Amino acid sequence: MSLGYVGVLTVRLEMPWVGNLKEKRAMVRPVVERLKSRFPLTVARLDGLDAHDWEVIGVATLSNDYGWVQETLKMAADYIAAEGEYTVTEENVEITVIGDDDDEEE
């Protein structure tokens, strides 16, 4: 029996038309902040921070309900895709079981 589930979504955003980091941050930061306020998520800018034309955003959530984790990450992915002036080129979802008794030794 599991105690719960940790869900992680990573999304790669590309914006080859952007010329500098300030312009990219102006596009990405508002989406990250709105995700944090609209959904029960932890959100971070993970990779590409020094690149002006791409970035990877990570989103995580935790619950005892697998379906809820899955649906929340799906809503976050849809929100990211719809909100910004960038292209989502990769999306990865991982849901991990926590507290699984099968992994414990007696």
Side-chain angles (χ1 to χ4, degrees):
M1 181 172 161
S2 67
L3 293 174
Y5 306 91
V6 176
V8 177
L9 165 70
T10 54
V11 179
R12 181 181 171 103
L13 310 175
E14 294 194 8
M15 51 219 94
W17 57 89
V18 173
N20 60 58
L21 292 174
K22 186 175 180 181
E23 188 179 352
K24 179 185 81 168
R25 272 193 308 270
M27 262 193 264
V28 175
R29 182 179 263 157
V31 174
V32 168
E33 294 305 318
R34 285 192 299 262
L35 272 171
K36 290 178 185 179
S37 67
R38 292 178 186 225
F39 301 99
L41 301 167
T42 298
V43 184
R45 297 170 60 210
L46 299 177
D47 198 9
L49 301 178
D50 294 331
H52 69 275
D53 58 347
W54 67 276
E55 185 156 327
V56 175
I57 295 176
V59 175
T61 193
L62 171 73
S63 177
N64 66 341
D65 182 342
Y66 183 91
W68 184 89
V69 170
Q70 192 174 35
E71 182 62 26
T72 301
L73 294 178
K74 170 84 170 95
M75 287 189 301
D78 292 346
Y79 184 82
I80 292 168
E83 285 299 306
E85 297 178 27
Y86 42 69
T87 303
V88 174
T89 59
E90 290 179 39
E91 185 179 301
N92 184 41
V93 173
E94 294 179 31
I95 300 176
T96 304
V97 177
I98 55 174
D100 192 358
D101 288 342
D102 293 340
D103 293 338
E104 294 180 17
E105 293 183 19
E106 295 183 32

